[in-house]
Amino acid sequence: MTPRDPIAHLPTHEVMNMPPHMGDQNLWADDRALRHWASHMGGAGHTGHFAHVGHLTGLDETFDKANQANRHGPELQAFDRYGMRINAVAFHPAYHDLMDLAISNQVHNFAWHNESNAGHLGQSVLTYMFSQPEGGVMCPMAMAYSVVPSLRMAPAVAEEWMPRILSTEYDRRDIPANEKAGAMIGMFMTEKQGGSDVRANSTVARPDGDGYLLTGHKFFCSAPMCDAFLVLANTEGMGISCFLVPRWRPDGTRNNLFIQRMKDKLGNKSNASTEMEFQDTWGVMVGEEGRGIRTIIEMVTGNRLYCAMSSAGIMRQALVQALHHTSHRSAFQKRLIQQPLMQNVLADMAVEVEAALALGLRVAQAMDRMDDPAEAALARIGTAVAKYWNTKRCPSLVVEALECHGGPGYVEESIMPRLYREAPLNSIWEGSGNVMGLDVMRAMGREAEAIPAVMAELEKARGNHPNLDRAIDDLRDELADPEGLEGRMRMVTEMMALTLQGALLTCHGDSAVADAFCASRLAPRYRGAFGTLPKGLDLDAIISRALPG
């Protein structure tokens, strides 16, 4: 919390030229770009809810709880005091407070309360805001949001679990889900020998009455206190199937979810990530037998949109922190924010944040229009494109924002080290860069509408800027050359992301931001470093748009 009336007159010196504590933020009202793009993409009807959540998540108290939850991380409680297995994880009270805040405000299920009413767009806005104070709590939020399409492939399972997912009550008790006021569902996919290649999974499942018994292991099991999990396992002769594995069996006994250890991770410290073994662990099949990857990919798609929007949110908060520091710190007789080179850096970061926000929300808008074949195709390929590019740009931007602070940004009292540790996560979760590139290529091959949908979106911006026109033509040429395409898919995915961002900004965005984007990102000499915007741009207008308030 912000300390009250700190003493500036010390025995040896007076503290000067230090920024004041930021205090409360308003992550909705203070973000002009967010309000613009949310309204443009069809979310105006949800403004009241966005404003409410933006106020709560921006409070200094919320940021302080995020700090506490990360400093005092979860603890494994595999056994009770008498040596009996309970396979539980204990969390700091601040973590539970944040879970309650998120769940009570539909950060995990807004899309499903607002189907056919900009639900995925709203979900993305909430993700963008809540990811700014805290990333660890957002892991179970993302999985609960994303699981619904997979659950619906098993109507009986959906009938039982959907009311629990739709609840807005956080029930932290480790008891059977049918006794709780609300429930959360996670996902365990990867194994030691396979990683992203889930077809190499070795876990097996054999029929047992109305369900199956699973035996094997999972290498990354995050949010293990969720009430159930989607898990992949092999059924005899049929290949990989998908199962819902609850923490408690239907007869009210604990399921065999043997937590082996906690992961000591780079960041995302408040969120528990574990290794787990199954031995005759009870589950029920979800979706068609032998089509488990197809079933669980429905969940992965939502998680990838989450990754894109979470990264955009992290970038926004890093920018806000840099703007605050440079607005109050002076050097060489000027505020840092008035120094020409610092203005270039700050404006460049602001352009990046708004482009990431616009791209993510456009994909979310497409997900809200899945009854339109072109929009459905754009959503399918766009989730991978946005996930790839936003998560790639996030670490670079966060480290640049940290550099704006100098030494004060490198100490743990600052939020910057936590944002920096959080920044790489979304590029790894739900598929690293290579996986995203290959998924874009698969979408190009499997869905005839995919590339036409992307190109149609780009052609709407034809003539808006010469650099954008040239970039669209370059992308078309790359797509027309199939030789060696797999090895070029990172480049092709990047070109798709940049041209889509340029099209959105020039068609619907602020003119100063759009001009800067096209003059830098789409210029032949661009190398990606921040603070390299060319001359002739309105940096003051870009910074003013990005400043909170």
Side-chain angles (χ1 to χ4, degrees), residues 332-461:
F332 310 112
Q333 292 78 51
K334 287 183 180 180
R335 297 288 188 187
L336 291 178
I337 200 170
Q338 297 171 328
Q339 302 282 0
L341 195 51
M342 181 61 79
Q343 285 186 325
N344 197 309
V345 171
L346 294 171
D348 208 356
M349 289 194 295
V351 168
E352 191 71 39
V353 172
E354 185 156 353
L357 172 65
L359 178 60
L361 291 186
R362 178 63 183 96
V363 174
Q365 182 189 54
M367 290 181 66
D368 284 318
R369 299 173 172 177
M370 296 294 278
D371 55 340
D372 181 331
E375 290 290 299
L378 185 62
R380 170 69 181 90
I381 197 169
T383 50
V385 170
K387 197 272 190 190
Y388 174 85
W389 190 237
N390 282 8
T391 65
K392 285 290 181 211
R393 295 298 284 165
C394 184
S396 297
L397 186 141
V398 173
V399 75
E400 195 69 56
L402 193 157
E403 187 177 323
C404 291
H405 292 73
Y410 204 67
V411 296
E412 289 296 336
E413 287 91 343
S414 164
I415 190 178
M416 294 308 302
R418 180 154 56 84
L419 293 177
Y420 182 62
R421 289 191 293 267
E422 192 73 21
L425 174 61
N426 288 321
S427 65
I428 299 169
W429 194 30
E430 303 305 348
S432 59
N434 286 353
V435 174
M436 290 302 96
L438 294 174
D439 201 48
V440 171
M441 187 173 73
R442 279 190 289 270
M444 291 164 53
R446 293 177 180 175
E447 298 195 29
E449 293 275 355
I451 293 304
V454 171
M455 298 311 297
E457 188 79 4
L458 298 179
E459 288 298 330
K460 296 174 186 176

Side-chain angles (χ1 to χ4, degrees), residues 149-395:
S150 296
L151 288 184
R152 287 176 170 170
M153 300 178 98
V157 175
E159 183 179 2
E160 178 184 359
W161 284 92
M162 276 299 294
R164 300 165 185 166
I165 292 295
L166 291 174
S167 171
T168 55
E169 293 187 52
Y170 174 49
D171 193 333
R172 58 185 281 188
R173 295 175 295 169
D174 186 14
I175 58 176
N178 60 5
E179 300 177 26
K180 298 180 68 170
M184 302 290 284
I185 298 180
M187 173 176 60
F188 302 159
M189 285 179 61
T190 60
E191 297 182 2
K192 296 172 186 175
Q193 73 283 350
S196 297
D197 183 9
V198 294
R199 294 186 185 278
N201 283 7
S202 61
T203 299
V204 297
R206 57 183 176 83
D208 180 69
D210 293 333
Y212 287 77
L213 297 179
L214 282 66
T215 298
H217 79 282
K218 298 297 170 184
F219 196 41
F220 270 89
C221 304
S222 293
M225 293 308 292
C226 286
D227 299 279
F229 314 91
L230 288 195
V231 174
L232 296 177
N234 289 281
T235 52
E236 186 174 2
M238 297 298 292
I240 292 178
S241 300
C242 182
F243 299 87
L244 183 135
V245 175
R247 281 188 59 80
W248 294 78
R249 293 170 179 252
D251 63 6
T253 60
R254 287 183 182 272
N255 208 353
N256 294 336
L257 297 165
F258 297 117
I259 300 177
Q260 300 302 300
R261 66 167 180 160
M262 296 273 286
K263 300 283 193 183
D264 186 7
K265 299 174 295 183
L266 169 67
N268 204 245
K269 295 285 190 177
S270 68
N271 177 37
S273 296
T274 64
E275 295 177 24
M276 196 173 294
E277 290 188 355
F278 302 155
Q279 185 175 5
D280 289 340
T281 305
W282 189 88
V284 60
M285 188 175 292
V286 177
E288 187 179 344
E289 186 173 7
R291 302 294 299 277
I293 295 174
R294 174 181 174 272
T295 300
I296 210 166
I297 203 69
E298 295 294 326
M299 185 175 183
V300 169
T301 298
N303 275 332
R304 287 175 176 172
L305 176 60
Y306 158 81
C307 289
M309 293 307 306
S310 174
S311 292
I314 292 168
M315 286 192 277
R316 169 61 185 174
Q317 185 56 217
L319 173 62
V320 167
Q321 295 289 329
L323 290 167
H324 176 76
H325 182 86
T326 56
S327 293
H328 295 90
R329 180 83 167 174
S330 296
F332 310 112
Q333 292 78 51
K334 287 183 180 180
R335 297 288 188 187
L336 291 178
I337 200 170
Q338 297 171 328
Q339 302 282 0
L341 195 51
M342 181 61 79
Q343 285 186 325
N344 197 309
V345 171
L346 294 171
D348 208 356
M349 289 194 295
V351 168
E352 191 71 39
V353 172
E354 185 156 353
L357 172 65
L359 178 60
L361 291 186
R362 178 63 183 96
V363 174
Q365 182 189 54
M367 290 181 66
D368 284 318
R369 299 173 172 177
M370 296 294 278
D371 55 340
D372 181 331
E375 290 290 299
L378 185 62
R380 170 69 181 90
I381 197 169
T383 50
V385 170
K387 197 272 190 190
Y388 174 85
W389 190 237
N390 282 8
T391 65
K392 285 290 181 211
R393 295 298 284 165
C394 184

